[in-house]
Amino acid sequence: MKNQYEPIQTSIVKIEQLSPINKLFTLKIKNKQTRNTFKFRHGQFFILSFPGFGEAPFGFCSSPTIRETFQVSIDQRGSLTSKLFKSKVGDNIGIRGPYGNGFDQKKIKNRNLVLVAGGCGLSPLRTIIQDANLHPEKFQNIQVFYGCRNPELLVFKDDYNQWNKNIEMNLTVDAPDKNWKGDIGVVTNLLTPEKISSDSVAILVGPPIMYKFVIQKLIELGLNEKDIYVSLERRMHCGIGVCQHCVLVGGKYVCTDGPLFSYAEIKDTPEGI
Amino acid sequence: MNDKQLQGLVSYLIKNKHTVYSHTDDDGKINIKKIDTGKDFTLCPKRPLYSFKKFFLPSCQKMMVFSDNETTLNRSKNEKIVLLGLHFYDLKAFTLINQVYKKDPHFQKKLRNAIIIGQSPIPAEMEDYQKFEKEVLEHLKFDIFLEAKSHGKQESFRIFTGSEDGQRLLDDFGYRDYENIEYKGPVPKKGLGPINSMLIEKIRKSRGSEIWKELDKKCTNCGKCTIVCPTCFCFKIKDEIKKDEILRSREWDSCFYDEFSEIAGGHKFLNTTEKRIYNYYDHKFVRIPEEYTMPGCVSCGRCTEVCPAGIDIREVLRRIIEEN
């Protein structure tokens, strides 16, 4: 019987600083056979661990079509991520997964896709953005609306010009610096009837406070509750629906039923958003 | 099977290198202990405060050890154990946890190495005792089941087997007067049944109602109920830095503890007692029944016995049913 908690060994092949508090880690699964069979879908996550510092869930942030390595972009927030920030290329990192329901691409077939991100919430959405850049034929129109506290904290800033060729990037910050040319204010301000067609599918990744306002706005713009997806963050220990830490009271587990939920699915869940 | 024969069976198991754990009566207090002879155990209707849960889900399950870039998975010992005297509700709890931990290598290995002997309460001391019908037993996981029969002062037992292991054991011991009951899975044909289905609806309906606000003031978040509950199975995964190695283990956790739902940055989703105690009932009476088609509470009453605030689960359920 396979031990579900045994980490898959990866090694860090590249570390890039994306913002003062965020680093992008490129990981490669060491065992060739495992690497060849390891597959994930948009919206799935994995559990990363460092011996002595425990485990925590993170979303993939590279295109699932890139199979040799995968990437994760991490904000430094606690003891595990601080330990990761001190690691170097060549160090070993344990992972397990992939976990979660993932995003069914059929749902966005021939539909306009609206991606709304706050802070480091852009990172998990980058699986779609990168995939769309590598395989534009797989997607219809993609619009990204990305808000951050200040320009310094934007992640993947060097890629926006490249991305703009295939997708529409809309940026806003709360506190601009003197070089800032984009919008100023909350991301909700960017969501206007001129920009967003009511038959779009939206995926939101960011802090819960952003969800409240963005969902309200998207519903006003005529989007169906079933077409608004949010990614929920919860404490997780197992990833397989047993340990109870990620429960949404009422019957769902973020690790197995999520982390992406349509607003229609969770709007009646207390504390859901 | 009479008293003497049962003692003979237990002695036979001990002689054959099984470690036997059973109820012992220590001045009226029922404990579960390792027994050394066929005479040390007691079969009685009173249950121990702590269930047999720890034999399959230890409070701390060592999972793996890290040292110098090496990960060594912990393989549980191949110790043959016998758990003697599980009451009906502890068998029910065990059957449920076996479903939840179906794919867990630690749990399943312990199960493979264990002989589970259940017992019915002794009729003379249980007035509303009803005979264990086949329909009940065929949905419980056990190897041998002792159904008590009264013959004057002499105790005797009707013997059922619930697995090949159980049959083989009795055959080898030389006792053949048993009836085999084939395990038909944890869920009876009728499914959850009307009472448990009604409870799902009532608990859902009761969310935010007065009773939870009252419990919010009463409950101290001590988590004792989750420790003694034979069906509570929440856990956390914990790393511990030792001198030469790092140990990763799975430990019992309680949904009443403050950090249970805390995420990076400090936000807690279960941040009030009301939310925590509702979540506890939601798990037992809504989520487990919906996920496993079995009730998450086996009516053992341990949580009520141990609660320092005097919360009685029967009283809470009675009010939820009446008020919703």
Side-chain angles (χ1 to χ4, degrees):
Chain A
M1 191 175 280
K2 190 184 174 303
N3 190 317
Q4 300 139 308
Y5 303 102
E6 182 180 3
I8 300 169
Q9 289 305 323
T10 71
S11 81
I12 304 177
V13 294
K14 201 173 179 187
I15 302 172
E16 294 155 80
Q17 189 96 35
L18 293 187
S19 86
I21 56 161
N22 191 289
K23 280 185 182 180
L24 176 67
F25 295 85
T26 305
L27 305 177
K28 183 172 183 169
I29 293 172
K30 294 179 114 178
N31 180 292
K32 199 177 169 199
Q33 203 186 340
T34 313
R35 186 163 69 235
N36 290 341
T37 52
F38 189 83
K39 272 185 191 170
F40 63 91
R41 298 191 298 277
H42 293 300
Q44 284 193 300
F45 67 96
F46 63 99
I47 290 182
L48 183 151
S49 68
F50 207 100
F53 294 83
E55 300 187 305
F58 295 94
F60 293 94
C61 85
S62 50
S63 169
T65 57
I66 302 172
R67 301 287 304 279
E68 192 64 11
T69 57
F70 65 89
Q71 292 179 313
V72 56
S73 133
I74 293 172
D75 264 8
Q76 185 174 1
R77 288 169 94 174
S79 59
L80 173 65
T81 51
S82 296
K83 177 70 189 169
L84 275 169
F85 267 53
K86 287 186 196 129
S87 56
K88 297 181 210 56
V89 168
D91 285 357
N92 291 339
I93 302 286
I95 65 144
R96 49 191 184 89
Y99 297 123
N101 57 1
F103 189 74
D104 182 0
Q105 210 152 326
K106 281 186 219 126
K107 287 174 184 159
I108 49 170
K109 206 176 173 213
N110 300 325
R111 307 272 298 269
N112 181 50
L113 182 60
V114 173
L115 305 177
V116 187
C120 68
L122 185 70
S123 300
L125 291 173
R126 184 179 168 253
T127 61
I128 296 174
I129 297 170
Q130 199 179 36
D131 195 9
N133 268 283
L134 295 168
H135 310 280
E137 72 286 353
K138 278 163 68 178
F139 297 86
Q140 285 291 102
N141 191 43
I142 297 182
Q143 297 171 291
V144 174
F145 298 89
Y146 179 28
C148 235
R149 268 202 315 262
N150 59 55
E152 237 195 344
L153 292 176
L154 292 165
V155 288
F156 298 104
K157 358 185 194 305
D158 298 339
D159 299 332
Y160 303 157
N161 280 337
Q162 165 69 22
W163 292 355
N164 250 324
K165 289 176 192 159
N166 291 304
I167 58 176
E168 177 196 317
M169 290 295 294
N170 301 279
L171 305 173
T172 182
V173 295
D174 297 335
D177 58 14
K178 56 182 189 318
N179 298 321
W180 182 248
K181 292 185 185 73
D183 281 286
I184 298 165
V186 292
V187 75
T188 327
N189 296 345
L190 305 182
L191 310 170
T192 58
E194 294 75 40
K195 278 273 187 191
I196 293 176
S197 68
S198 61
D199 60 351
S200 304
V201 174
I203 307 177
L204 283 48
V205 187
I209 184 81
M210 181 191 98
Y211 292 165
K212 283 200 180 88
F213 292 103
V214 172
I215 290 167
Q216 199 185 339
K217 192 67 176 279
L218 292 173
I219 289 172
E220 278 168 32
L221 291 170
L223 270 78
N224 193 310
E225 287 177 352
K226 285 187 199 144
D227 290 331
I228 304 173
Y229 291 87
V230 293
S231 176
L232 298 186
E233 180 187 4
R234 289 293 185 281
R235 189 187 188 99
M236 284 179 197
H237 283 260
C238 70
I240 51 176
V242 179
C243 78
Q244 302 297 313
H245 289 268
C246 73
V247 68
L248 297 180
V249 174
K252 288 190 167 62
Y253 297 101
V254 173
C255 69
T256 48
D257 300 312
L260 278 177
F261 293 93
S262 76
Y263 180 58
E265 269 180 285
I266 52 158
K267 63 174 183 175
D268 295 326
T269 302
E271 306 295 306
I273 290 173
Chain B
M1 185 180 276
N2 63 33
D3 261 5
K4 285 269 170 305
Q5 285 169 308
L6 179 60
Q7 287 176 5
L9 174 65
V10 176
S11 303
Y12 168 82
L13 288 165
I14 295 171
K15 213 176 108 201
N16 280 287
K17 305 239 175 333
H18 286 82
T19 311
V20 182
Y21 296 90
S22 183
H23 299 149
T24 57
D25 190 338
D26 303 324
D27 296 328
K29 197 175 171 223
I30 307 296
N31 292 309
I32 299 172
K33 280 187 182 161
K34 176 174 174 279
I35 56 168
D36 298 320
T37 76
K39 286 180 180 171
D40 288 349
F41 68 94
T42 173
L43 293 175
C44 61
K46 211 176 148 197
R47 50 140 181 79
L49 181 57
Y50 294 95
S51 74
F52 285 87
K53 173 169 81 172
K54 63 183 176 192
F55 290 98
F56 296 100
L57 292 179
S59 56
C60 180
Q61 170 70 58
K62 194 172 155 186
M63 292 209 298
M64 60 197 81
V65 171
F66 305 98
S67 57
D68 301 330
N69 275 337
E70 284 285 308
T71 305
T72 316
L73 291 179
N74 175 51
R75 316 247 177 237
S76 301
K77 276 184 257 163
N78 263 323
E79 191 193 22
K80 297 258 176 228
I81 62 165
V82 175
L83 303 178
L84 171 63
L86 278 81
H87 287 97
F88 175 61
Y89 33 67
D90 281 354
L91 281 180
K92 261 170 52 180
F94 168 67
T95 306
L96 168 65
I97 295 193
N98 179 49
Q99 286 304 103
V100 180
Y101 284 78
K102 210 162 39 183
K103 292 179 184 162
D104 187 78
H106 295 288
F107 183 98
Q108 292 303 328
K109 184 162 189 185
K110 288 188 169 71
L111 174 62
R112 279 197 302 279
N113 284 315
I115 295 285
I116 294 165
I117 305 181
Q119 65 152 325
S120 65
I122 292 159
E125 293 171 271
M126 287 282 281
E127 279 179 16
D128 56 354
Y129 170 74
Q130 296 206 332
K131 231 165 103 171
F132 279 85
E133 298 298 339
K134 268 191 193 173
E135 296 90 81
V136 175
L137 287 180
E138 68 191 13
H139 298 294
L140 293 174
K141 277 285 278 182
F142 64 90
D143 295 299
I144 296 171
F145 190 85
L146 315 170
E147 188 191 86
K149 298 192 285 189
S150 234
H151 286 291
K153 279 189 177 176
Q154 178 84 28
E155 273 172 30
S156 75
F157 304 92
R158 190 172 160 205
I159 304 295
F160 295 97
T161 54
S163 72
E164 279 181 25
D165 283 353
Q167 289 176 52
R168 200 175 310 124
L169 195 151
L170 288 177
D171 289 347
D172 291 350
F173 169 64
Y175 186 86
R176 288 175 204 281
D177 186 16
Y178 59 79
E179 193 178 331
N180 189 54
I181 289 180
E182 203 185 325
Y183 181 53
K184 297 224 171 107
V187 183
K189 255 198 197 128
K190 64 177 170 62
L192 261 186
I195 294 172
N196 291 303
S197 304
M198 178 259 298
L199 267 174
I200 293 179
E201 295 313 312
K202 296 269 184 185
I203 299 259
R204 283 218 163 109
K205 224 172 135 193
S206 76
R207 192 156 71 202
S209 72
E210 193 51 38
I211 184 147
W212 304 111
K213 293 185 175 38
E214 287 172 31
L215 292 171
D216 178 85
K217 292 191 185 77
K218 253 181 152 178
C219 170
T220 63
N221 289 291
C222 70
K224 279 185 167 181
C225 51
T226 59
I227 291 168
V228 295
C229 176
T231 71
C232 270
F233 55 76
C234 298
F235 63 81
K236 61 182 169 198
I237 292 174
K238 201 178 125 188
D239 283 7
E240 217 178 313
I241 303 177
K242 306 250 180 187
K243 201 168 158 246
D244 299 314
E245 56 184 32
I246 294 162
L247 175 64
R248 180 164 294 166
S249 15
R250 178 169 71 194
E251 282 186 10
W252 287 3
D253 205 350
S254 168
C255 53
F256 286 97
Y257 295 163
D258 201 40
E259 68 285 0
F260 189 81
S261 63
E262 185 178 335
I263 57 168
H267 183 75
K268 291 165 191 153
F269 292 90
L270 299 172
N271 55 0
T272 64
T273 305
E274 181 181 346
K275 285 177 195 166
R276 290 175 195 172
I277 199 156
Y278 181 84
N279 173 56
Y280 179 85
Y281 280 79
D282 184 70
H283 190 208
K284 302 242 176 279
F285 300 103
V286 179
R287 302 205 297 274
I288 290 177
E290 289 197 330
E291 202 176 342
Y292 300 99
T293 329
M294 299 166 78
C297 168
V298 294
S299 316
C300 68
R302 288 181 171 103
C303 53
T304 303
E305 181 181 334
V306 85
C307 180
I311 298 170
D312 182 335
I313 193 165
R314 290 164 303 186
E315 177 62 16
V316 174
L317 291 174
R318 189 188 60 74
R319 278 194 53 192
I320 289 168
I321 293 167
E322 276 175 15
E323 293 169 14
N324 290 279

